[in-house]
Amino acid sequence: MAEETPTMLTYVEQTPAQLKLNVERSEELTAELVGLYAQKPCHSIWIVACGSSSNGSQCARYFMMKYLKREVKIVSPATFIYGEHDLHEDDFVFVISQSGCSTNSIEALDELRKLGIPAIGLTGNVDSDFMDHADLVVDYGVGEETVSYVTKGVATLAQFLMLFAIEAGARTGIVSPEQRTELLNEMADAPRRHEIVQRET
């Protein structure tokens, strides 16, 4: 029997398992980005993203601000390239594209290089075009998602950014070991809630 073509619902149903896996490997998953963030005091965090990547970032923004005690700005690639890139020397910047093939996100990485700033790309596909334009490519743990209207990508990105905030906060002493454990336990409960919501709807 032929395998069914995945739909958006396929990936909605896969999301809790991916979230569970990612929170279990939180420290490993976020290690590269946390390591860079912790190298020097950070002024503000800039996230360059559009579409579903912007949506996922917006979901995590206030959590990040709360636990990193830093301003978090989310700007579209076009806005960043053509107008808003007046960066403080200690700002921490990264570009997000789930596919790693978004042309405007690639241009944003190129703009960072022109500005002399490390070009960090977060993606669900480390073997994408991002490889040729970023100084560091970070896999945020979405796994596979082949439909155009992404769902698993938004949820796993929001989770990754929250896990990054927890781990970076812990590394820099803003989040206590006890608080980190408490937050990770709460994050670990999210997949169970996700499954309940799916079942009830």
Side-chain angles (χ1 to χ4, degrees):
M1 187 172 172
E3 196 173 314
E4 286 187 25
T5 303
T7 66
M8 190 161 61
L9 187 58
T10 306
Y11 296 111
V12 170
E13 290 169 348
Q14 289 179 7
T15 296
Q18 191 69 49
L19 294 174
K20 184 175 185 294
L21 174 66
N22 289 355
V23 77
E24 286 170 355
R25 60 189 187 110
S26 171
E27 192 170 358
E28 173 197 347
L29 184 66
T30 61
E32 285 184 300
L33 199 63
V34 169
L36 278 176
Y37 178 85
Q39 283 180 4
K40 61 179 182 177
C42 170
H43 184 260
S44 295
I45 298 168
W46 289 58
I47 299 174
V48 183
C50 61
S52 63
S53 296
S54 178
N55 293 341
S57 301
Q58 293 288 355
C59 290
R61 180 174 179 241
Y62 290 105
F63 186 98
M64 295 175 73
M65 290 170 65
K66 179 176 181 177
Y67 291 105
L68 289 173
K69 302 194 186 310
R70 296 289 181 270
E71 174 60 34
V72 176
K73 300 180 66 160
I74 301 169
V75 296
S76 72
T79 299
F80 180 77
I81 295 162
Y82 299 110
E84 196 169 344
H85 51 239
D86 50 334
L87 299 165
H88 186 277
E89 62 179 353
D90 291 327
D91 285 345
F92 188 69
V93 191
F94 51 87
V95 180
I96 308 176
S97 166
Q98 182 173 335
S99 68
C101 299
S102 167
T103 54
N104 55 3
S105 297
I106 287 168
E107 282 185 56
L109 289 170
D110 292 341
E111 182 66 24
L112 282 170
R113 284 180 162 178
K114 285 181 198 169
L115 295 168
I117 296 165
I120 304 168
L122 265 65
T123 182
N125 180 10
V126 293
D127 297 320
S128 63
D129 294 344
F130 260 33
M131 281 184 65
D132 300 322
H133 299 267
D135 300 310
L136 173 68
V137 178
V138 176
D139 181 353
Y140 69 76
V142 60
E144 183 181 68
E145 185 167 29
T146 59
V147 297
S148 298
Y149 295 99
V150 296
T151 53
K152 188 166 69 161
V154 174
T156 52
L157 175 59
Q159 182 203 44
F160 175 90
L161 293 173
M162 292 176 187
L163 293 174
F164 163 75
I166 294 167
E167 300 294 357
R171 178 81 70 89
T172 55
I174 297 169
V175 172
S176 70
E178 296 77 17
Q179 193 176 24
R180 174 182 180 270
T181 299
E182 185 181 329
L183 288 167
L184 288 177
N185 285 341
E186 190 171 344
M187 295 290 287
D189 198 38
R192 181 187 65 82
R193 297 175 193 170
H194 199 292
E195 286 176 332
I196 292 169
V197 170
Q198 285 192 42
R199 190 163 60 244
E200 294 299 322
T201 53

